[in-house]
Amino acid sequence: MVLSSLGATLTADGCDFAIWSHRASRIELCLFDAEGKQETSRYRLVRGRDDIHRVSVRGVMEGQRYGYRAWGAYDPDKGSWFDPSKLLVDPYAREIDRPFRHDAKLSLFGVDTADLVPKAVVTRNPLAKIGKPLLPPGGFIYEISVKAFTILHPEIPEASRGTVAALAHPSIISHLKTLGVDAVELMPITAWIDERHLPRLGLSNAWGYNPIAFMALDPRLCPGGMRELRETVTALHQAGIGVILDLVFNHTGESDRHGATLSMRGLDNLSYYRHVPGEPGHLVNDTGTGNTVACDHPHVRRLIIDTLRHFVLHAGVDGFRFDLAPVIGRTANGFDAEGATLKAMISDEALKDRVLIAEPWDIGPGGYQLGNFSEPFLEWNDRARDDIRRFWRGDRWTTGALATRLAGSSDIFARHGRHSTRTVNFLAAHDGFTLMDLVSHENKHNEANGEENRDGHNDNFSWNNGVEGETDDPVILEKRRRDVSALLSTLFVSRGFVMLTMGDEAGRSQRGNNNAYCQDNAITWFDWSRIDGRLVEHTAALAAFRKRFAIFSETGFLNGNGDVQWLSVEGRPMEVGDWDAPDNSVLGMVLTTHDRQAGRPTRLAVLFNRGPEPATFALPGWNWRQFPSRELWNQMLPARSVRFCIEE
């Protein structure tokens, strides 16, 4: 069955408008002038038996501004929020004419909001050139907040700074190529609204995880709309770099019952959002943001799949990362990895070969689902993050946990008889400390967020190397650089995909703020004038090392059957007593692999010493040389370090 198009579809003589609502008694289309200020005409839509309301308007052309008004009962206690005074944004809007702006009037019944709400724009989007996704097995993903990454770059023209177009600038592409990035993962660039408590604090949302229109790009980040995104994707593809979009389908910025009526709430609240059984006025909050999208509803599912198709077909993106992904698989009975919406993503013709990455947790019942998504979903692995941190912090009994994470986390991803890992290993992400802050702060410092430091994670497994926060002490600064170097080395020799957040390769700090979602300012902006060049070079060398040796592009678990040996400081295989030693500080990992540059098989040794003193590490045999210097291995493993050796 061919489904009729939803949204605004241009025709030979005008435009067809179609919007779904089961409960609205009447929906009207409002057309506006070119500035989106004055309403010029209004049309009543005709409901079909499929609950799609339609109208065809002759003479409408590309660029037309429009919105909707919906009639029905207003009874929030029964989950009904119809209010024709509220101008509503089309859930299928492909473009909006201005950013969303919070205003208390958006929540007041009977108060007209046409002057506050962005207007959807009728667009005609050409098809993009679509190729095979650019993310190889074991690839290197680089997470980017578009504005924070580009707003201070001195070589980018001022008019482009902070936008998606800036990512196509030669200086940005050069940095990504220097690092060896395989794909960038862009934090949300679709239209969002500030949380309602932020304006009174003089703050604004810096991350974009508070969407209203799933398809529409936010004009602050992408003023050129889909054309700008498509051209940027093309430029990155020409440089061999893939593009992954971070999308939010778990909640919207309409928030809890005291929030704004902007789109889905005013069209059919009971269908678009999940509610407590028997309490239609009580929105489920599995997201911590006030509402939860009913992703298992057939028409919500269609909206999600159509959104993904839109970005693939019209921008050519390589894949998607899904925020709080268990919501997408949640039904009335809990999370279902085989749920219809998740299954639709991997079976759709336009999507089935795309990169799909799940953040496998939310705060709802049974919300921690690491390892439980179906193939081909990759999953953010917070266990790898925490176990690597804990090892380097010096926590006891962590040697075995480190080895398990380095080997691909088989304890998590080998469930259900699977033989390959789907892990995305990372040390830090947008949510939490930066990598430099991780080794510079024992405690979070979120005072600037206006919540008296109550927000953000408390268990960060962090340390400060002797002084909390900023210091001019060169000894402490060098210790922090050393620890960041060791952490990066550990990440890049782990089995699976690896992810780095922008600036972690360069010593970026957020002043100890581990929940900087509301800091659209110097706290989160990447200061290109303060890059630590030594760390950048180290990261680039690690990425090149990872690409050179074939073992890092394989996704089977390391199992010790000819692929890996775990060695003690004496150069002998680790025994139970070594693994169980609570304060063991040294571990050797010897990998059998293929050297792509030399064109021959070889063995690599990766040696870890988290201790405060140098250690003697005797590798078996006499032909080991340090990599990349090629100096003979002198058996001296420096304190707080990772060293590589190659057997010749």
Side-chain angles (χ1 to χ4, degrees):
M1 180 179 68
V2 178
L3 297 175
S4 60
S5 296
L6 290 166
T9 305
L10 287 165
T11 63
D13 60 356
C15 188
D16 294 339
F17 295 87
I19 190 167
W20 182 88
S21 174
H22 175 66
R23 293 176 174 82
S25 61
R26 180 165 108 236
I27 295 179
E28 290 184 350
L29 168 71
C30 303
L31 300 184
F32 291 83
D33 63 15
E35 288 73 40
K37 294 181 179 179
Q38 296 294 323
E39 184 176 333
T40 58
S41 54
R42 189 178 295 199
Y43 302 86
R44 181 167 180 170
L45 282 72
V46 178
R47 180 200 294 269
R49 295 171 64 181
D50 54 4
D51 286 329
I52 295 177
H53 303 243
R54 301 176 174 88
V55 67
S56 296
V57 183
R58 293 175 62 88
V60 168
M61 296 184 293
E62 188 174 356
Q64 174 68 57
R65 270 67 170 163
Y66 72 98
Y68 291 107
R69 297 182 188 271
W71 276 257
Y74 181 80
D75 190 348
D77 287 338
K78 294 183 179 178
S80 184
W81 253 278
F82 292 104
D83 180 0
S85 73
K86 296 289 177 284
L87 188 74
L88 304 175
V89 176
D90 185 356
Y92 274 76
R94 273 75 168 185
E95 185 176 319
I96 58 174
D97 67 348
R98 70 199 74 174
F100 286 95
R101 178 172 60 86
H102 176 78
D103 192 294
K105 295 176 184 177
L106 297 171
S107 304
L108 298 178
F109 177 73
V111 177
D112 197 285
T113 57
D115 61 329
L116 297 171
V117 175
K119 312 307 182 291
V121 181
V122 175
T123 62
R124 189 191 305 275
N125 292 308
L127 295 175
K129 182 179 179 180
I130 303 170
K132 184 179 179 180
L134 295 179
L135 182 65
F140 171 17
I141 302 168
Y142 189 74
E143 185 191 37
I144 291 175
S145 172
V146 170
K147 181 176 181 180
F149 188 54
T150 63
I151 191 67
L152 297 180
H153 198 293
E155 296 181 33
I156 297 173
E158 284 195 36
S160 297
R161 293 178 190 173
T163 71
V164 168
L167 298 176
H169 191 272
S171 62
I172 294 295
I173 291 178
S174 175
H175 183 72
L176 298 174
K177 292 292 288 182
T178 295
L179 292 180
V181 169
D182 291 310
V184 293
E185 182 177 298
L186 307 186
M187 288 167 60
I189 58 174
T190 55
W192 78 88
I193 190 170
D194 286 341
E195 291 82 355
R196 64 177 179 266
H197 72 282
L198 294 181
R200 68 174 181 267
L201 295 172
L203 300 172
S204 59
N205 190 301
W207 288 352
Y209 291 95
N210 207 36
I212 296 295
F214 291 159
M215 295 187 190
L217 297 167
D218 196 284
R220 290 165 288 193
L221 294 181
C222 206
M226 284 295 287
R227 174 192 54 77
E228 180 175 337
L229 177 60
R230 183 169 53 252
E231 292 175 355
T232 298
V233 170
T234 298
L236 288 164
H237 281 178
Q238 289 172 347
I241 299 170
V243 179
I244 298 166
L245 298 185
D246 191 340
L247 296 181
V248 182
F249 294 126
N250 58 79
H251 79 282
T252 78
E254 290 183 307
S255 190
D256 58 23
R257 66 176 292 156
H258 304 293
T261 298
L262 285 163
S263 183
M264 294 189 286
R265 168 169 288 164
L267 287 167
D268 196 334
N269 172 71
L270 286 170
S271 295
Y272 282 106
Y273 295 110
R274 193 173 298 284
H275 298 76
V276 174
E279 300 180 47
H282 189 175
L283 288 154
V284 168
N285 187 19
D286 289 338
T287 61
T289 56
N291 64 44
T292 303
V293 174
C295 295
D296 59 336
H297 188 284
H299 281 277
V300 177
R301 179 182 310 125
R302 180 179 176 184
L303 172 60
I304 291 171
I305 300 303
D306 285 349
T307 298
L308 301 179
R309 288 176 56 85
H310 173 64
F311 286 119
V312 172
L313 296 177
H314 301 297
V317 302
D318 300 85
F320 306 94
R321 180 262 186 189
F322 301 106
D323 184 64
L324 304 184
V327 169
I328 301 174
R330 186 168 274 119
T331 69
N333 299 317
F335 175 77
D336 181 2
E338 303 298 321
T341 304
L342 293 174
K343 294 288 281 186
M345 288 181 180
I346 61 179
S347 61
D348 184 272
E349 279 299 314
L351 306 177
K352 63 184 182 182
D353 69 338
R354 298 294 99 177
V355 177
L356 304 175
I357 304 174
E359 181 187 40
W361 50 78
D362 61 34
I363 65 169
Y368 190 74
Q369 293 294 332
L370 178 62
N372 292 331
F373 281 76
S374 298
E375 294 184 81
F377 278 93
L378 307 178
E379 300 182 37
W380 273 24
N381 188 348
D382 64 329
R383 292 278 296 281
R385 176 198 65 193
D386 292 349
D387 285 342
I388 294 172
R389 289 183 179 189
R390 291 177 62 235
F391 175 83
W392 283 104
R393 188 173 69 167
D395 290 16
R396 310 181 85 195
W397 289 292
T398 53
T399 308
L402 174 67
T404 300
R405 303 304 154 227
L406 293 172
S409 296
S410 61
D411 59 329
I412 297 167
F413 295 103
R415 297 170 188 161
H416 315 296
R418 294 169 180 156
H419 301 290
S420 61
T421 188
R422 296 177 293 107
T423 182
V424 177
N425 297 326
F426 64 103
L427 299 167
H430 65 272
D431 184 7
F433 279 142
T434 69
L435 196 53
M436 184 58 73
D437 284 350
L438 179 72
V439 302
S440 306
H441 301 84
E442 288 190 358
N443 303 295
K444 65 185 183 183
H445 297 275
N446 298 353
E447 291 81 6
N449 295 358
E451 299 183 43
E452 298 181 349
N453 207 33
R454 292 189 300 267
D455 62 310
H457 297 295
N458 292 314
D459 298 324
N460 298 288
F461 307 115
S462 61
W463 61 99
N464 64 21
N465 275 290
V467 172
E468 186 73 1
E470 292 188 12
T471 180
D472 294 326
D473 188 322
V475 174
I476 292 176
L477 292 174
E478 186 57 34
K479 286 182 177 179
R480 291 174 177 177
R481 180 185 288 111
R482 172 204 62 193
D483 283 0
V484 168
S485 295
L487 285 160
L488 288 168
S489 296
T490 306
L491 175 67
F492 275 82
V493 296
S494 63
R495 177 60 67 96
F497 295 80
V498 297
M499 186 188 78
L500 202 63
T501 294
M502 63 168 211
D504 277 353
E505 78 283 5
R508 186 178 74 95
S509 172
Q510 291 180 169
R511 307 174 192 173
N513 193 319
N514 76 346
N515 189 34
Y517 76 100
C518 57
Q519 301 297 329
D520 184 11
N521 51 45
I523 290 177
T524 57
W525 295 349
F526 187 4
D527 187 348
W528 292 84
S529 70
R530 301 185 65 182
I531 282 180
D532 187 324
R534 287 166 56 190
L535 284 178
V536 172
E537 291 177 6
H538 179 63
T539 306
L542 289 170
F545 175 83
R546 188 174 175 86
K547 288 178 170 63
R548 175 170 173 173
F549 296 102
I551 197 164
F552 299 115
S553 60
E554 298 168 3
T555 56
F557 304 107
L558 296 176
N559 56 29
N561 295 324
D563 53 8
V564 64
Q565 286 183 301
W566 304 102
L567 301 181
S568 68
V569 291
E570 295 86 5
R572 57 172 175 77
M574 291 277 285
E575 299 175 350
V576 173
D578 300 312
W579 292 113
D580 290 345
D583 296 311
N584 182 30
S585 296
V586 181
L587 176 67
M589 178 173 71
V590 176
L591 301 165
T592 301
T593 183
H594 184 80
D595 184 339
R596 288 172 169 148
Q597 182 172 308
R600 60 176 174 80
T602 190
R603 289 206 302 168
L604 295 175
V606 185
L607 310 178
F608 306 86
N609 179 14
R610 72 175 184 185
E613 302 295 335
T616 300
F617 201 110
L619 285 169
W622 301 98
N623 297 320
W624 290 96
R625 292 183 178 271
Q626 297 186 60
F627 188 89
S629 71
R630 298 291 178 172
E631 296 176 2
L632 283 172
W633 175 239
N634 61 8
Q635 300 190 2
M636 292 304 299
L637 183 55
R640 306 289 292 172
S641 73
V642 179
R643 288 293 183 269
F644 305 137
C645 294
I646 188 168
E647 189 176 44
E648 295 188 340

